[in-house]
Amino acid sequence: MEHLDRRLVDLLAVDGRMSFTDLGKATGLSTSAVHQRVRRLEDRGIIRGYHATVDPDALGLPLSALISVSPLDPAAPDDVPERLTGIPEIEACHSVAGEESYVLKVRVATPGALEDLLGRIRSEANVRTRTTVVLSTPWEGRPPAGPEAGAV
């Protein structure tokens, strides 16, 4: 990816509402050049969308948990993501290496709601679960680091 395209991606990852004019000022490009580059980044799937960062506590969802899942029958088809896609409390589903097959990030209102959710996950996907309750989240949603981030 070109340096200017990467800069545009970095800026939009921090503030997805940044105007084309402000992006141009930050990169030295004209507004029309920024518009064309952003459109190309969207068309290529590099920028997949824009979203609002919402406070889960304000929505009545103060309890977060990470749920690791493993199939009860390892010979069964690996369709856990498809089976769980309709459960709205699941915010993310990550395929992982290790003992478990997937790690789910969930948000619920109460411990009782978490217990109910665990039952639905086990039932829908025919899996066993291991749950870690999140006590606090000092930060999350960090924009992706560029390839130069690990360079010394």
Side-chain angles (χ1 to χ4, degrees):
M1 178 183 315
E2 289 183 39
H3 174 73
L4 283 172
D5 287 343
R6 180 61 203 212
R7 179 78 176 120
L8 289 170
V9 169
D10 290 345
L11 290 166
L12 288 169
V14 172
D15 180 3
R17 295 182 60 159
M18 197 171 190
S19 72
F20 292 141
T21 302
D22 289 340
L23 289 167
K25 288 176 186 173
T27 59
L29 295 171
S30 70
T31 301
S32 62
V34 167
H35 184 263
Q36 289 174 349
R37 283 178 178 264
V38 170
R39 180 63 43 104
R40 255 193 325 253
L41 291 165
E42 291 169 346
D43 290 344
R44 290 172 48 203
I46 294 169
I47 296 175
R48 293 189 270 177
Y50 303 88
H51 70 277
T53 303
V54 180
D55 179 3
D57 290 342
L59 297 177
L61 301 170
L63 180 58
S64 299
L66 303 173
I67 302 171
S68 301
V69 299
S70 304
L72 291 176
D73 178 5
D78 184 5
D79 59 355
V80 169
E82 292 80 14
R83 288 174 172 245
L84 299 177
T85 193
I87 300 177
E89 296 92 340
I90 301 174
E91 234 180 58
C93 175
H94 303 280
S95 175
V96 296
E99 289 184 38
E100 287 88 9
S101 300
Y102 295 92
V103 174
L104 312 173
K105 179 182 175 186
V106 304
R107 291 191 194 268
V108 294
T110 64
L114 179 58
E115 186 175 24
D116 175 64
L117 176 60
L118 288 168
R120 286 187 289 143
I121 290 170
R122 291 179 190 128
S123 172
E124 290 289 323
N126 196 32
V127 293
R128 73 177 143 269
T129 61
R130 185 172 54 87
T131 303
T132 302
V133 173
V134 175
L135 298 177
S136 70
T137 303
W139 51 263
E140 74 176 338
R142 184 187 277 191
E148 66 280 354
V152 176

